[in-house]
Amino acid sequence: SLRSGAWQAVQVFFCSRSTGILPAAGTAAVQATTDVSLEVPTVADLWIQSTIDETGPAMGDTVTFTITVGNDGEADTAGVRVQDMAPDRLDPATVTWQCTAAVGTMCPAPVQGTGTLGASIAWMPKDAALTFTLSGEVSPAADPANDYDEFFNTATVSLSTGSDLTDPAGNNSSTIYLRVDDTLFEDGFEVPEP
């Protein structure tokens, strides 16, 4: 196998057009060789996109983030890292994740876990994609005054440490914002602060 950007001399034999027979080695009159430079792609364009099933959950509700990662670059890559630390507003004891789908590659082992999502994808070829879910129960903030403040969840994808590939910036993280619904205002008689 070749490293990204490497080249290899390849010996090419030419046969007679009239007979289609490859001449015996050493028959210099009808045999020729040439060097062919094989260029290996060096850019893996990794991307990640997150969605959530509910941007305004109630306290105690379970929310589920769907995280999809892929490679739109020309280069296949190995050891791609996917991370989602999970926001501190999700009860750590309830946070679980799993790989739910894979196209052009395979879900990493293990395919599911608890707490922080930290998966290493063994092989991510061009046009491959995987989908993960991360779920957890919304819990009160450390300071009750912040219970209904907006909070967020960020997922990231990156090349393996020491990779000789390049990955264009701009689509390697995805952030979802959400705010706990304040049930005090459900009767419609009170108006929440803007």
Side-chain angles (χ1 to χ4, degrees), residues 127-179:
D127 297 329
L130 294 97
T131 300
F132 296 85
T133 59
L134 183 141
S135 301
E137 184 178 300
V138 178
S139 61
D143 181 348
N146 299 327
D147 277 352
Y148 302 102
D149 288 351
E150 186 178 65
F151 63 99
F152 62 90
N153 180 54
T154 298
T156 62
V157 63
S158 60
L159 294 170
S160 61
T161 302
S163 173
D164 56 358
L165 299 176
T166 58
D167 182 21
N171 55 357
N172 297 107
S173 68
S174 181
T175 299
I176 294 290
Y177 293 88
L178 59 161
R179 186 191 300 270

Side-chain angles (χ1 to χ4, degrees), residues 5-187:
W7 66 275
Q8 175 67 50
V10 179
Q11 193 172 52
V12 180
F13 292 92
F14 299 92
C15 64
S16 167
R17 177 177 294 181
S18 60
T19 64
I21 299 174
L22 185 69
T27 311
V30 292
Q31 180 178 332
T33 63
T34 186
D35 286 343
V36 179
S37 178
L38 302 179
E39 291 293 337
V40 179
T42 60
V43 178
D45 187 6
L46 302 178
W47 57 267
I48 188 166
Q49 184 174 20
S50 299
T51 60
I52 189 173
D53 61 345
E54 178 57 71
T55 57
M59 197 75 73
D61 282 356
T62 295
V63 294
T64 298
F65 299 91
T66 299
I67 304 153
T68 305
V69 298
N71 178 12
D72 282 348
E74 293 298 320
D76 301 340
T77 185
V80 171
R81 188 75 174 166
V82 180
Q83 285 192 304
D84 189 328
M85 303 297 289
D88 57 9
R89 290 299 305 277
L90 298 187
D91 181 355
T94 68
V95 176
T96 61
W97 63 267
Q98 62 178 328
C99 179
T100 60
V103 176
T105 185
M106 296 179 63
C107 283
V111 297
Q112 59 186 4
T114 59
T116 297
L117 164 59
S120 180
I121 303 167
W123 187 240
M124 179 69 87
K126 179 182 185 295
D127 297 329
L130 294 97
T131 300
F132 296 85
T133 59
L134 183 141
S135 301
E137 184 178 300
V138 178
S139 61
D143 181 348
N146 299 327
D147 277 352
Y148 302 102
D149 288 351
E150 186 178 65
F151 63 99
F152 62 90
N153 180 54
T154 298
T156 62
V157 63
S158 60
L159 294 170
S160 61
T161 302
S163 173
D164 56 358
L165 299 176
T166 58
D167 182 21
N171 55 357
N172 297 107
S173 68
S174 181
T175 299
I176 294 290
Y177 293 88
L178 59 161
R179 186 191 300 270
V180 177
D181 179 39
D182 190 340
T183 56
L184 289 176
F185 304 111
E186 285 188 349
D187 59 10

